[in-house]
Amino acid sequence: YRQGGPVIAVQVENEYGSFNKDKTYMPYLHKALLRRGIVELLLTSDGEKHVLSGHTKGVLAAINLQKLHQDTFNQLHKVQRDKPLLIMEYWVGWFDRWGDKHHVKDAKEVEHAVSEFIKYEISFNVYMFHGGTNFGFMNGATYFGKHSGIVTSYDYDAVLTEAGDYTEKYLKLQKLFQSVSATPLPRVPKLPPKAVYPPVRPSLYLPLWDALSYLNEPVRSRQPVNMENLPINNGSGQSYGLVLYEKSICSGGRLRAHAHDMAQVFLDETMIGILNENNKDLHIPELRE
């Protein structure tokens, strides 16, 4: 921003206070950004109960929350009392996990919370204004006692729908912002056109087993290596996706493994079962000649 660009602030990390495994990590990141010439506003963002463990000296601490309550800023005030209040993420909805019900949040509750932010002169970001879609492997997962995959949609019950349509939340916030704005708000854009696409049937495909000969040389190891530690991509491993592990066996028996998050098990190119958090054992049938 100081050089004429659009970047006004840089977040050092996101919610590291929820983990806080390494006390030197946050100060290291802070210094690394400064050494690389980042001179814009630096900040951290943590849940209201994790500010003390996620904040680092010399940066602005911000919080993420679902609603205001009496103790919202207790930890924040312990690390800074002379700085502006910033809610980095005000959650107007929530993401969905496979097997759960779709999360929704009442528009009146959102309107009331934002009214309180304005009343007490608290800066805030709406999360999410538009959630959109988790393409490819970007959906991720959570682990609160058990592994739960996030669904492909990141609609989030956000201010705009996944398709970009206006919601009751949008209209209420628009009316609220207009009531405190010194100038008229911009005109609302027209909604994007919608279309129904016919089913697509692939006429040609290449099975995994036929594709292997066209791929790079396999990594050989006596022990299974998790994808992040594979010696590929200039030592960076693989961040997400699929990995094929192969092992030659001479008899049936039992396969035991703790797979994160799921492993499909094949015997001679035929799937025989799935390993996951709830199923760590699999029967391997006797081999046929």
Side-chain angles (χ1 to χ4, degrees), residues 257-276:
H258 191 180
H260 273 293
D261 54 338
M262 184 181 74
Q264 294 175 287
V265 182
F266 294 83
L267 180 63
D268 293 334
E269 302 181 11
T270 300
M271 195 176 86
I272 59 173
I274 290 177
L275 294 171
N276 54 34

Side-chain angles (χ1 to χ4, degrees), residues 50 57 77 84 96 128 152 163 189 197 225 260-261:
H50 300 112
K57 292 182 179 180
H77 284 152
D96 294 331
M128 298 288 295
T152 305
Y197 297 99
V225 179
H260 273 293
D261 54 338

